[in-house]
Amino acid sequence: MNSKTGVLHVVATPIGNLGDLSSRARETLQQADLVLAEDTRRTGVLMRHFNLGTPLSSFHDHNERQQVPEVLRRLSAGENIALVSDAGTPLISDPGYTLVSAAREQGFTVSPVPGPCALVAALSASGLPVDRFVFEGFVPARKGARQALLDRVAVEERTVVLYESSHRILETLEDMSSVLGPDRAVVIGREISKRFETFYRGDAVDVLEQLRAGTEHQYGEFVVMVEGAPAQDADEAMLRKLLQLLLDELPVKTASRIAAAWSGAGRNRVYALALDLGKNNDPDSE
Ligand code: SAM
């Protein structure tokens, strides 16, 4: 690429409080030749608030692929382009991945303008361990995918962070209440940086009750965080899950041998666990 090519700036915007737009983000939006916005009306409000007159172009999940060649053409013509989403950091459960990966692949400079991100803001004030965490994005709406996610959360040793909408927040907490014990802390950050910002904390059942206490608690945007499982519990839960799957297909001895080899747990312990799972009606049928 020659030095005349433009730069793609990935610009974080506020998740509620407009005061959180950084001065560098403002400058970048002002100086760009074009701002790619998920929703031009929403970004238009932000632009007007800060007196920014840069042209906006619509860039969302449904037109991202078609738009990429034109954006790359404009970058090679030397234009500087800013990518924003409706709120927070682009690409984080938001559009932009196809463009950023294509721009990088073609050798363009892609530069982030860091700023608000709901998951980071929520974690920072949660009181949960944040030395290691896993972000799973939105809780899936489909039952099977949802159950698979909750199975992973049940055995995850790191703090888990999820996005959830107001339509399904109660359902998600109900599902969590049936898989997570009282020893797993759940923290919810609602409407972060907005007027009704609230953090709810307890086990899944407590938090569900707090949200059920009044419909006002069920409105807005939510980040759900779950404390990681203690290492030993996570190992045990994972082993049980694997054994259960194997026992559905194989005799107890074979299932135990595979589970022991995979997990590194002692064979006798695994065999006892398999019997405990109540699948010991055909132990010698290998
Ligand atoms: N790109 C954004 C970011 O950096 O966080 C996330 C976009 S995603 C489409 C929107 C989801 O983020 C919401 O459904 C909610 O789960 C979470 N979220 C966004 N703003 C929030 C806020 N102010 N308080 C709590 N959660 C928020």
Side-chain angles (χ1 to χ4, degrees):
M1 288 288 141
N2 66 52
S3 57
K4 283 203 179 133
T5 58
V7 173
L8 175 63
H9 297 279
V10 183
V11 182
T13 57
I15 57 168
N17 190 322
L18 291 184
D20 292 338
L21 187 79
S22 73
S23 53
R24 192 157 86 89
R26 200 170 155 172
E27 236 166 68
T28 307
L29 293 176
Q30 186 165 35
Q31 286 167 8
D33 296 293
L34 177 72
V35 174
L36 299 174
E38 195 183 355
D39 177 342
T40 50
R41 272 183 312 177
R42 272 191 75 158
T43 301
V45 173
L46 180 84
M47 301 289 281
R48 277 190 296 281
H49 181 87
F50 289 101
N51 272 323
L52 304 171
T54 313
L56 296 176
S57 173
S58 158
F59 186 89
H60 47 70
D61 279 336
H62 304 292
N63 72 1
E64 175 163 355
R65 267 183 194 285
Q66 298 95 287
Q67 290 271 59
V68 167
E70 171 63 7
V71 177
L72 297 180
R73 190 197 62 72
R74 292 182 74 152
L75 285 171
S76 50
E79 292 190 31
N80 288 319
I81 297 187
L83 171 69
V84 299
S85 60
D86 283 352
T89 302
L91 278 83
I92 307 299
S93 296
D94 268 339
Y97 168 70
T98 310
L99 174 61
V100 169
S101 58
R104 280 232 169 262
E105 210 156 279
Q106 306 248 331
F108 292 107
T109 301
V110 182
S111 179
V113 179
C117 178
L119 79 101
V120 174
L123 277 174
S124 71
S126 67
L128 293 174
V130 290
D131 51 340
R132 294 190 311 146
F133 64 86
V134 53
F135 174 55
E136 287 275 3
F138 276 99
V139 178
R142 277 187 311 111
K143 213 166 175 46
R146 212 175 156 74
Q147 194 50 53
L149 169 73
L150 289 171
D151 287 347
R152 287 202 298 282
V153 172
V155 299
E156 177 55 62
E157 290 174 33
R158 296 163 293 183
T159 295
V160 181
V161 192
L162 302 158
Y163 282 166
E164 187 51 289
S165 73
S166 53
H167 314 296
R168 281 198 298 268
I169 187 71
L170 291 183
E171 203 186 323
T172 290
L173 282 167
E174 279 158 13
D175 290 352
M176 281 187 171
S177 303
S178 59
V179 257
L180 303 177
D183 52 337
R184 297 284 293 281
V186 172
V187 179
I188 290 191
R190 179 175 77 96
E191 293 289 88
I192 296 168
S193 78
K194 303 187 204 176
R195 180 153 170 231
F196 296 109
E197 174 182 289
T198 317
F199 279 79
Y200 305 85
R201 196 186 158 100
D203 63 28
V205 176
D206 295 334
V207 172
L208 179 58
E209 275 168 17
Q210 292 171 54
L211 261 61
R212 276 188 178 146
T215 46
E216 72 275 17
H217 302 290
Q218 295 151 31
Y219 289 128
E221 300 191 278
F222 298 84
V223 180
V224 180
M225 294 159 284
V226 182
E227 180 187 24
Q232 236 180 349
D233 292 4
D235 289 351
E236 176 87 10
M238 185 76 89
L239 186 55
R240 278 177 176 269
K241 178 86 193 163
L242 174 68
L243 260 178
Q244 238 148 19
L245 291 172
L246 291 171
L247 286 166
D248 287 343
E249 308 291 333
L250 299 166
V252 168
K253 275 191 188 167
T254 316
S256 306
R257 199 172 55 238
I258 296 171
W262 176 83
S263 64
R267 270 215 210 181
N268 290 343
R269 180 183 154 225
V270 177
Y271 188 72
L273 193 57
L275 296 178
D276 186 45
L277 285 171
K279 306 272 177 146
N280 55 338
N281 32 4
D282 194 15
D284 294 314
S285 61
E286 286 183 68

